[in-house]
Amino acid sequence: MNNNNADITTDVSPHARCSSRYQILLVGLLSLNFGIVFFDRNALNFLMPFVQPDLGLSNTEIGLTASALSITWAISGLIFGAISDRSGRRKIFLVIATLIFSLCSFLTGLATSFLLLLGARLLMGIAEGPILPISQTVTAIEVSPKRRGVAMGVMQNFGSNLLGSFAAPVVLVAVATAFGWREAFFLAGVPGLLAAGLIWWLMREPGTASVPATVAERPAPRRPSIREMLAHRNMLICSLMAILLIGYLVVCWSFMPIYLTSVRGYSPQEMGWLMGVLGISAAVGSFVVSGISDRIGRKPVMIITPFMGLILTLGAMYFQGSAYILAILFFFGWSLNGIFPLFMAIVPSETVDPRYIATALGFVCGVGEVLGGGILPTVAGAAADLAGHAAPLWLMSVICVVAGFLAMGLKETAPVVLARRSQAALA
């Protein structure tokens, strides 16, 4: 492990050889692709009010479908993230994974039972798992450190939330209402085929030519073990926050649509727009939250925003006023989503050796998806069957509080903040 943040920041940024124009193009392309990933991933959640009665699913089975995708996503991300580190070939992994997960969306539309639906989600998780850690690695390599927070936020949050959290509920619910939920899944699979072609055409392979000579000539360090990674406080805290907040995210996607329609009495169309507000919130947060962390530091931002997640859960359960006001509460409550790039990518990438970023990011994402996205939705579903539809929302509320307190133990890694501290120490 290399714990010298200043050295890592220098090593990871080969920007004299990477034009600003290409950096913008690359981040936009990766953001679009990850947005399509989340469009497919979230499709089942927003279409569940149509799928559940048709296939006769229980709340526990709904939780299992979400858990299955998260578990295979995590395992796949760990395995293929490490393989991409060793091979240095990231472009081909992105193209193949994008093609396969698009085909899995078609398979989901063909499901006629819970087991077939479960199998399709397992395969989709395998295909989608490598895309995030590899995309994060490419962004960390190619984008300037002073813009890394904004770039990582846009790559991970902008497209995924604009497409996966805003467009998906609005478009897919409208298609399902007009034509049926199976047709909506067939539609969801098409954009990924186009994205794979764009990546093949426009993205260059980020290899040793993009790495500064001082890094390329340095002998490769021994690959850190899991124990060594977790020995660094930031990696441990980021991993724990990933478990909690990925669980929060997946539980919300899985059960909030049903809660809004079954308990609060909103129509599927109203539910679609309310869930769509979450996408707008996170898309804005991809600029604002990560950008603020570039200026004031990662730690204060990661402490404050988890507590804001309580606005979403408590508003959904207790606010009785206009749906428009509830949408505003959803917008501010979902600002929690803006710190996902921080604990999943930015802080870990500013902590570990730059040549093993995909391995570290795959680990954080992996443990988060397995223990958070894999276990908590099933727990939430079983709790909903036993105690009622509000149980998942109470689980989300507890997660917010615990995550906020955990973030208080982080060590600051923002390059600008560390530079200011160094200058102040020398003054």
Side-chain angles (χ1 to χ4, degrees):
M1 288 291 291
N2 185 342
N3 295 333
N4 190 326
N5 289 327
D7 291 344
I8 290 172
T9 300
T10 301
D11 290 349
V12 132
S13 54
H15 312 296
R17 303 178 185 177
C18 182
S19 70
S20 296
R21 181 178 179 181
Y22 179 74
Q23 291 179 43
I24 294 170
L25 172 66
L26 177 68
V27 172
L29 181 61
L30 294 176
S31 181
L32 172 66
N33 191 54
F34 196 54
I36 294 170
V37 167
F38 261 73
F39 191 93
D40 283 4
R41 176 173 182 166
N42 287 348
L44 180 60
N45 302 314
F46 301 131
L47 294 173
M48 191 56 75
F50 301 91
V51 177
Q52 183 184 28
D54 195 17
L55 299 185
L57 304 178
S58 68
N59 286 312
T60 302
E61 288 173 331
I62 292 172
L64 283 170
T65 60
S67 296
L69 188 147
S70 291
I71 290 172
T72 54
W73 174 302
I75 295 171
S76 179
L78 284 168
I79 293 173
F80 290 106
I83 292 174
S84 74
D85 271 345
R86 290 196 295 269
S87 68
R89 301 184 63 188
R90 296 177 172 102
K91 177 178 177 178
I92 190 64
F93 279 94
L94 288 177
V95 171
I96 293 175
T98 300
L99 289 172
I100 295 175
F101 81 67
S102 298
L103 297 177
C104 289
S105 184
F106 292 102
L107 290 178
T108 305
L110 296 173
T112 56
S113 68
F114 167 68
L115 289 179
L116 291 175
L117 183 66
L118 185 67
R121 304 306 282 180
L122 286 167
L123 290 174
M124 180 172 282
I126 293 173
E128 292 181 345
I131 291 177
L132 181 57
I134 294 175
S135 297
Q136 289 167 329
T137 301
V138 173
T139 303
I141 290 173
E142 299 281 38
V143 176
S144 169
K146 65 183 180 182
R147 293 190 291 267
R148 186 182 298 143
V150 173
M152 201 72 80
V154 171
M155 186 285 300
Q156 183 174 338
N157 269 19
F158 185 72
S160 63
N161 287 286
L162 196 62
L163 296 179
S165 297
F166 172 64
V170 175
V171 173
L172 294 176
V173 168
V175 172
T177 301
F179 303 103
W181 64 267
R182 298 183 188 277
E183 287 73 10
F185 276 111
F186 299 152
L187 172 65
V190 173
L193 304 178
L194 300 175
L198 288 174
I199 293 172
W200 182 259
W201 177 37
L202 297 174
M203 178 179 158
R204 73 186 186 192
E205 183 65 65
T208 54
S210 298
V211 180
T214 55
V215 177
E217 293 167 0
R218 191 179 305 165
R222 179 176 59 85
R223 185 177 300 277
S225 66
I226 292 176
R227 177 180 293 181
E228 288 171 326
M229 283 195 292
L230 294 181
H232 194 288
R233 184 196 301 175
N234 279 1
M235 285 295 298
L236 176 60
I237 292 175
C238 286
S239 299
L240 292 174
M241 292 186 72
I243 293 170
L244 292 170
L245 295 180
I246 289 177
Y248 176 99
L249 203 70
V250 179
V251 169
C252 181
W253 287 333
S254 301
F255 295 100
M256 186 66 78
I258 295 173
Y259 184 85
L260 292 174
T261 55
S262 300
V263 178
R264 296 302 307 272
Y266 292 103
S267 69
Q269 291 78 12
E270 290 172 322
M271 175 274 293
W273 281 104
L274 283 170
M275 295 300 293
V277 168
L278 304 185
I280 298 174
S281 172
V284 173
S286 68
F287 292 101
V288 175
V289 177
S290 297
I292 291 174
S293 79
D294 279 338
R295 294 179 176 274
I296 71 170
R298 318 299 188 202
K299 182 175 179 177
V301 172
M302 292 177 69
I303 292 172
I304 295 170
T305 48
F307 290 105
M308 295 186 68
L310 293 171
I311 299 173
L312 173 70
T313 55
L314 298 179
M317 288 188 287
Y318 295 112
F319 181 75
Q320 299 297 325
S322 165
Y324 295 104
I325 303 299
L326 182 59
I328 294 173
L329 296 177
F330 272 34
F331 179 89
F332 286 103
W334 201 242
S335 61
L336 173 151
N337 194 267
I339 65 167
F340 271 65
L342 296 177
F343 66 77
M344 290 181 67
I346 298 172
V347 173
S349 72
E350 293 170 342
T351 299
V352 303
D353 187 282
R355 284 162 290 183
Y356 298 132
I357 291 175
T359 303
L361 271 52
F363 174 80
V364 174
C365 182
V367 296
E369 289 284 359
V370 171
L371 300 180
I375 295 175
L376 291 180
T378 301
V379 171
D385 283 333
L386 291 173
H389 288 294
L393 276 69
W394 281 113
L395 176 61
M396 292 166 59
S397 300
V398 173
I399 286 172
C400 291
V401 175
V402 176
F405 280 108
L406 270 176
M408 294 179 183
L410 287 167
K411 292 183 178 180
E412 186 58 66
T413 63
V416 172
V417 175
L418 294 179
R420 282 203 303 262
R421 290 179 181 177
S422 296
Q423 292 171 358
L426 293 173

